[in-house]
Amino acid sequence: MATLAKPNLPRFDVEIFQNEYLADGAREVNAIVTVTSTGGGTSGGRPLGLADAGPQSGDANAAVVVLVDCSGSMDYPKTKINGAREATAAAIDALRDGTAFAVVAGTHEARDIYPGDGTLATATAATREQAKESLRRLTAAGGTAMGTWLAKADKLFLTRRDIAIRHAILLTDGNNEHESAEDLARTIERVTGHFTADCRGVGTDWRIDELRKISSALLGTTDIVAEPSGLAEDFRSMMTGAMGKQVADVALRIWTPANATVKFVKQVAPAVEDLSDRRAEAGPRAGDYPTGSWGDESRDYHVCVEVPAASVGNEMLAARISLVLPPQVGGGTPEVLSQGLVKAVWTDDLASSTRISPQVAHYTGQAELASSIQEGLEAHRSGDVDTATAKLGAAVRIAHATGNEGTFKLLQKVVDVVDPKEGTVRFRKDVSEADSMTLETRSTKTVRVKK
């Protein structure tokens, strides 16, 4: 592990967990990369990122756009639109002084209701009060076209190119019915890398896959708020998290030697997110994988590298992993924040070569847990009860074995657990749609390896 301190930057540490010993002829190297950022977020200092490529305008150091579904369905029941207003007010109250922000009403089109002139306001006591007053204009009427909401957010963020940390919060209660899936996909592709986004679905009439496509591409989260009364606390928590970010556009750079290739890169904690297809070439045999913005936090990544086969006694550097800021942030050259090494050593010692790293085994199980839940619920929806029972039984077994108590409790609302150790379960007859959607939405949340 190497940590390279940079002036005004949070401290980034990289730890590598792996079994570096391979059997004769083996080619696959697995490692868990733990990245920890300290000295940012609540520790003080101003956020760094694209803003450091030029002067800042005013005191703004982050930008947030709240996208509120105002389609007609938000009025049925009225608690949804009322809860959305209260939640947006709570988010506004959590804004740090100097933050650039806007509120957008989303229907089949997007209308910025505050400040309402196509720009971002700067958070002060006065503008926060004005923004909360404007929430009376959040009224429910019209359709749903989330691509227009994202495009509006992008346009607003582009009015403040000096700001590095850009975050959207998107709330909806329904399906994206007033634009095609292709149009939404094109918009997501166009805005990817411009800002991050957390998505929330209120009630049970929205589609998990739609919101997950948005949050996954924009390096955010998706969650369900089954009752409108829970929106305010959830929005307050999301905004507090956004205000804690301190450095933007951090990339996980992986260099591999000749004839070695990266098979996959996945974030595995705090949630499973496959980054493999987001690689951007970064020089000879190196690629960057986006990780988004950071505050005081720690995340784990599973990196799998295929190396050339070698015989007993050989050893090699399988990968060099670095945390970097892009050139436009680092003043023309990438800033290397921290580094770690992944090694491969071939041995004929069976005990060494067959030992699985506890970290690798744990997160392989967490990824299997997520897929078992999703596949099980999909099988249940299609009427295949046997497959659904087997898959959710496997999920119960993994959640129990790995200490994922949160997921285990969610599973218990969908299945009766007969034997958690063996994964013996029976589907409950009284499962609510909210419980089923909550389990599926939160299936990707993981727990870390027990120390």
Side-chain angles (χ1 to χ4, degrees), residues 135-178:
L135 299 183
R136 289 179 297 181
R137 297 200 293 275
L138 291 177
T139 55
T144 304
M146 291 181 231
T148 66
W149 312 354
L150 297 172
K152 171 65 77 172
D154 194 41
K155 189 173 181 179
L156 289 167
F157 285 129
L158 286 172
T159 67
R160 293 299 307 272
R161 295 174 183 268
D162 56 299
I163 297 176
I165 296 175
R166 299 174 295 273
H167 189 80
I169 292 174
L170 184 153
L171 172 70
T172 187
D173 78 325
N175 299 336
N176 198 51
E177 295 176 337
H178 291 82

Side-chain angles (χ1 to χ4, degrees), residues 203-221:
T204 59
D205 293 328
W206 54 281
R207 284 176 50 184
I208 296 171
D209 61 332
E210 283 183 343
L211 290 197
R212 191 167 274 157
K213 284 177 183 176
I214 296 171
S215 65
S216 177
L218 303 184
L219 299 174
T221 62

Side-chain angles (χ1 to χ4, degrees), residues 244-264:
K245 300 303 182 184
Q246 196 70 16
V247 58
D249 304 308
V250 177
L252 192 72
R253 177 167 296 177
I254 301 179
W255 173 92
T256 51
N259 300 318
T261 57
V262 178
K263 291 190 69 175
F264 65 76

Side-chain angles (χ1 to χ4, degrees), residues 4-343:
L4 307 177
K6 299 292 181 181
N8 301 319
L9 278 176
R11 173 191 174 98
F12 279 83
D13 294 298
V14 170
E15 292 182 276
I16 306 293
F17 299 95
Q18 67 162 136
N19 175 19
E20 61 192 42
Y21 293 102
L22 303 178
D24 185 13
R27 301 187 60 190
E28 189 171 285
V29 182
N30 287 276
I32 298 300
V33 182
T34 295
V35 180
T36 304
S37 169
T38 54
T42 56
S43 298
R46 69 180 181 87
L48 297 177
L50 292 178
D52 292 278
Q56 286 191 316
S57 175
D59 295 324
N61 46 31
V64 180
V65 175
V66 183
L67 307 168
V68 183
D69 188 341
C70 290
S71 60
S73 60
M74 285 289 287
D75 225 11
Y76 300 95
K78 277 190 176 294
T79 50
K80 285 195 287 189
I81 193 66
N82 291 337
R85 291 192 195 101
E86 292 171 7
T88 306
I92 290 168
D93 281 334
L95 287 166
R96 186 174 52 218
D97 279 350
T99 301
F101 75 104
V103 179
V104 171
T107 58
H108 51 281
E109 56 188 8
R111 179 170 54 93
D112 49 321
I113 65 163
Y114 189 83
D117 58 359
T119 68
L120 298 171
T122 300
T124 64
T127 58
R128 279 192 288 267
E129 288 306 311
Q130 292 166 9
K132 287 189 287 184
E133 282 292 317
S134 76
L135 299 183
R136 289 179 297 181
R137 297 200 293 275
L138 291 177
T139 55
T144 304
M146 291 181 231
T148 66
W149 312 354
L150 297 172
K152 171 65 77 172
D154 194 41
K155 189 173 181 179
L156 289 167
F157 285 129
L158 286 172
T159 67
R160 293 299 307 272
R161 295 174 183 268
D162 56 299
I163 297 176
I165 296 175
R166 299 174 295 273
H167 189 80
I169 292 174
L170 184 153
L171 172 70
T172 187
D173 78 325
N175 299 336
N176 198 51
E177 295 176 337
H178 291 82
E179 67 180 344
S180 69
E182 293 75 19
D183 284 342
L184 176 59
R186 280 191 289 269
T187 301
I188 293 172
E189 183 178 7
R190 189 171 72 249
V191 304
T192 294
H194 296 185
F195 57 93
T196 59
D198 286 326
C199 300
R200 293 296 182 267
V202 60
T204 59
D205 293 328
W206 54 281
R207 284 176 50 184
I208 296 171
D209 61 332
E210 283 183 343
L211 290 197
R212 191 167 274 157
K213 284 177 183 176
I214 296 171
S215 65
S216 177
L218 303 184
L219 299 174
T221 62
T222 288
D223 206 349
I224 181 174
V225 183
E227 296 298 330
S229 59
L231 283 172
E233 182 55 38
D234 193 72
F235 268 45
R236 186 181 296 111
S237 176
M238 281 191 290
M239 187 64 80
T240 300
M243 293 297 95
K245 300 303 182 184
Q246 196 70 16
V247 58
D249 304 308
V250 177
L252 192 72
R253 177 167 296 177
I254 301 179
W255 173 92
T256 51
N259 300 318
T261 57
V262 178
K263 291 190 69 175
F264 65 76
V265 178
K266 298 177 183 178
Q267 178 185 285
V268 288
V272 177
E273 186 66 60
D274 195 338
L275 303 176
S276 304
D277 62 356
R278 306 187 197 182
R279 177 185 174 103
E281 295 305 315
R285 302 194 301 278
D288 285 352
Y289 299 83
T291 68
S293 301
W294 289 73
D296 285 337
E297 58 190 299
S298 184
R299 306 177 201 169
D300 292 339
Y301 300 87
H302 185 174
V303 175
C304 180
V305 178
E306 188 171 85
V307 296
S311 56
V312 170
N314 283 278
E315 60 181 87
M316 68 175 292
L317 176 62
R320 181 173 62 244
I321 298 175
S322 308
L323 266 291
V324 300
L325 289 175
Q328 64 267 37
V329 178
T333 58
E335 293 274 5
V336 178
L337 305 174
S338 191
Q339 288 184 345
L341 304 178
V342 177
K343 300 176 182 178

Side-chain angles (χ1 to χ4, degrees), residues 382-406:
S382 66
D384 187 350
V385 178
D386 289 342
T387 298
T389 303
K391 289 291 184 180
L392 291 190
V396 164
R397 176 177 52 77
I398 297 168
H400 175 71
T402 60
N404 194 328
E405 295 179 3

